[in-house]
Amino acid sequence: MSTAYDDAVKTLPNPPPLTDHQKELIKATVPVLEQHGTEITKVFYKTMLGENPELRNVFNHSKQQRGDQAEALARAVLAYAANIDNLAPLLPAVERLCNKHASLGIQPLQYTIVGKYLLAAITTVVGADVFKGELYDAWAAAYWHLARLCFGREEELYKGGGWRGWREFVVEKKVKEAEDVVSFYFKPKDGKPLPQYKPGQYISVQKFITELGYNQSRQYSLSASPNPSHLRISVRRDRGLTITDPTTGKITPSQSSQLGWLSNLLHAHLNEGDAVELSAPFGDFFLVEEETGPVVFISAGVGVTPVLPMLHAVLAPVNQQQRKVGWVQVLRSRKAHALHDEIFADISAHKDLIRHAIFYNSPEDDEGADFTGRFEVARVPGEVLYLDDPKAVYYVCGPEGFMRDVGVALKERGVDVGRIRAEVFGQGAVPI
């Protein structure tokens, strides 16, 4: 019996494998994409969202404002063209993208819209007198090969997930964890048990933003171990937006930024007993539990949220062979140390397994820190990083610049890049 997915896929283009000539045509466009890639993707988003406003419910407003999505897509299109002979180097990025799509409920037919406007944008920028005939056909075929790879993998993720699309939850608890960080405990409204997920994965949260006039979704790492009755996220408020009207409670952009719509709404208006729509857990940044060597967690700020469940999993009594742990955490101050008590309970209970280096940038509020001042990997003792163990693996999460710097510094201290895993949201590449 055919499924809705099967029926939809049958209606979509299914071109034959690319010929060598088509691949050469695509590779020949690499210089053009290097020069005009971001211009192409800006035209793409502007036209597609202008003519299909319902898609604003899918695309992140803040990233559109910053231009992040256009730049990320430009890099992705360029990488695809440059690697058209061998897509293997792109597969990790494709896996990351497919997980994000699954968390947003993307369906195969939506790829038709994206393909139409992407090819039109290339035509607009490059010129209809150039992007035509065999060249246009080669790119159209290449697009649909990639699209089929993506929505095929997304269907596998849907089948392995707990549910498809959005599911209604209720806020069971709302707990202030630190300055600008709040944890939300969600229980399913239907009362049915929740599926297991891999420590490090995320969910998407969807809410209607009155000021924008459409839904916005954002991915938040699950900050607690799997539990059959609830999910927990810990959200840092982006102070680029402030609540300025005490009567209406509307979120109004500050003069300096137009970011953080959803985090501010959650902090200010999502309270215990309120309903919210969530996706099933997805994500490709998770603990590989089959490994047995030391595991080093390196996080900055709210980047602790995906690695804390990993720490819990490593220390769980069910693990017969408990792994040695390095815990490196960078924060502004003690006041900003979200989930502090939970972390130190683990450290205190497993002193024989955990070596730690906790950095507070502020010397005025440094109680409990191992180091104060500017964080550098060079300041972390080698024994905390298990640099002498070739089986040690490293999980890094924080701002993109932080992750890039950590990755470079670890490599300089002799760590093979294959042992470094980093969390990346969006279409970007792992920044190491």
Side-chain angles (χ1 to χ4, degrees):
M1 181 182 294
S2 65
T3 64
Y5 170 82
D6 296 328
D7 293 339
V9 168
K10 288 178 184 177
T11 69
L12 300 176
N14 189 17
L18 294 175
T19 66
D20 290 341
H21 179 58
Q22 287 177 313
K23 291 178 181 179
E24 291 302 319
L25 288 171
I26 290 169
K27 286 189 289 186
T29 62
V30 167
V32 176
L33 296 174
E34 288 176 334
Q35 183 177 359
H36 300 291
T38 301
E39 182 183 357
I40 290 170
T41 53
K42 285 181 177 178
V43 170
F44 160 74
Y45 279 117
K46 181 179 180 180
T47 308
M48 182 180 68
L49 296 178
E51 296 181 8
N52 299 270
E54 71 280 3
L55 292 179
R56 295 184 184 275
N57 291 317
V58 176
F59 291 93
N60 186 288
H61 176 80
S62 296
K63 291 182 179 180
Q64 286 289 314
Q65 290 292 102
R66 290 195 303 253
D68 291 357
Q69 283 183 329
E71 292 181 8
L73 180 58
R75 291 195 301 268
V77 173
L78 174 60
Y80 185 46
N83 290 276
I84 197 68
D85 284 327
N86 176 21
L87 297 182
L90 301 184
L91 294 181
V94 171
E95 178 68 9
R96 189 160 52 250
L97 180 65
C98 290
N99 272 271
K100 182 173 182 182
H101 282 181
S103 79
L104 295 171
I106 300 299
Q107 296 300 316
L109 291 178
Q110 289 174 298
Y111 279 88
T112 302
I113 300 173
V114 171
K116 170 186 172 182
Y117 286 95
L118 180 59
L119 294 173
I122 298 174
T123 303
T124 298
V125 174
V126 175
D129 57 330
V130 175
F131 196 62
K132 64 180 182 178
E134 289 185 329
L135 178 58
Y136 183 97
D137 292 342
W139 263 104
Y143 170 79
W144 279 107
H145 284 302
L146 180 59
R148 283 185 167 270
L149 175 64
C150 288
F151 60 66
R153 176 57 182 146
E154 288 155 21
E155 180 63 13
E156 293 176 350
L157 292 170
Y158 288 134
K159 288 180 178 178
W163 61 92
R164 291 175 184 257
W166 301 104
R167 182 176 173 184
E168 195 166 15
F169 282 70
V170 174
V171 179
E172 185 177 29
K173 283 196 300 183
K174 181 178 181 180
V175 179
K176 184 173 182 179
E177 300 285 3
E179 191 175 62
D180 283 340
V181 179
V182 169
S183 284
F184 296 88
Y185 293 72
F186 301 114
K187 63 178 181 180
K189 191 172 183 179
D190 59 18
K192 296 179 180 179
L194 297 170
Q196 286 285 315
Y197 58 85
K198 297 174 182 177
Q201 291 189 305
Y202 56 78
I203 57 172
S204 283
V205 179
Q206 176 174 264
K207 288 291 287 183
F208 184 80
I209 307 294
T210 303
E211 292 76 11
L212 299 178
Y214 45 83
N215 289 323
Q216 281 287 272
S217 306
R218 184 176 172 184
Q219 290 75 42
Y220 291 104
S221 298
L222 291 157
S223 61
S225 300
N227 186 298
S229 64
H230 68 260
L231 301 171
R232 184 183 77 177
I233 61 173
S234 301
V235 179
R236 181 184 65 84
R237 177 185 173 190
D238 187 332
R239 286 192 173 272
L241 295 181
T242 54
I243 306 296
T244 58
D245 189 333
T247 303
T248 65
K250 286 188 175 182
I251 304 172
T252 303
S254 69
Q255 293 181 348
S256 61
S257 174
Q258 291 189 11
L259 310 182
W261 288 102
L262 196 54
S263 70
N264 277 270
L265 185 148
L266 298 181
H267 270 245
H269 295 300
L270 189 66
N271 298 310
E272 294 177 1
D274 290 346
V276 64
E277 292 183 312
L278 307 179
S279 75
F282 292 103
D284 66 326
F285 180 69
F286 52 79
L287 182 70
V288 180
E289 299 192 42
E290 293 77 17
E291 295 172 333
T292 58
V295 55
V296 181
F297 301 112
I298 306 175
S299 67
V302 79
V304 71
T305 54
V307 299
L308 182 55
M310 297 185 195
L311 176 66
H312 292 333
V314 170
L315 302 176
V318 295
N319 292 324
Q320 298 298 317
Q321 185 179 359
Q322 290 184 317
R323 301 166 67 180
K324 294 178 181 178
V325 175
W327 183 263
V328 182
Q329 194 174 6
V330 183
L331 302 123
R332 186 173 67 254
S333 65
R334 170 65 181 88
K335 291 178 181 177
H337 199 154
L339 305 163
H340 172 279
D341 294 348
E342 195 171 320
I343 293 165
F344 273 84
D346 278 341
I347 291 174
S348 177
H350 299 88
K351 292 180 180 178
D352 56 329
L353 292 177
I354 303 177
R355 302 171 185 174
H356 56 85
I358 296 173
F359 288 74
Y360 287 170
N361 299 142
S362 171
E364 291 82 25
D365 184 14
D366 61 359
E367 181 181 354
D370 299 310
F371 300 88
T372 58
R374 180 178 174 80
F375 167 76
E376 293 179 355
V377 173
R379 296 182 65 193
V380 181
E383 58 268 24
V384 175
L385 296 172
Y386 292 92
L387 294 176
D388 60 347
D389 195 320
K391 291 185 178 180
V393 292
Y394 302 80
Y395 291 85
V396 187
C397 189
E400 187 171 318
F402 168 84
M403 292 192 291
R404 183 182 300 109
D405 291 346
V406 168
V408 170
L410 287 175
K411 287 187 287 185
E412 289 176 348
R413 296 186 72 173
V415 177
D416 183 84
V417 69
R419 294 189 282 133
I420 306 172
R421 292 87 189 259
E423 172 66 296
V424 179
F425 288 110
Q427 299 95 332
V430 176
I432 57 177

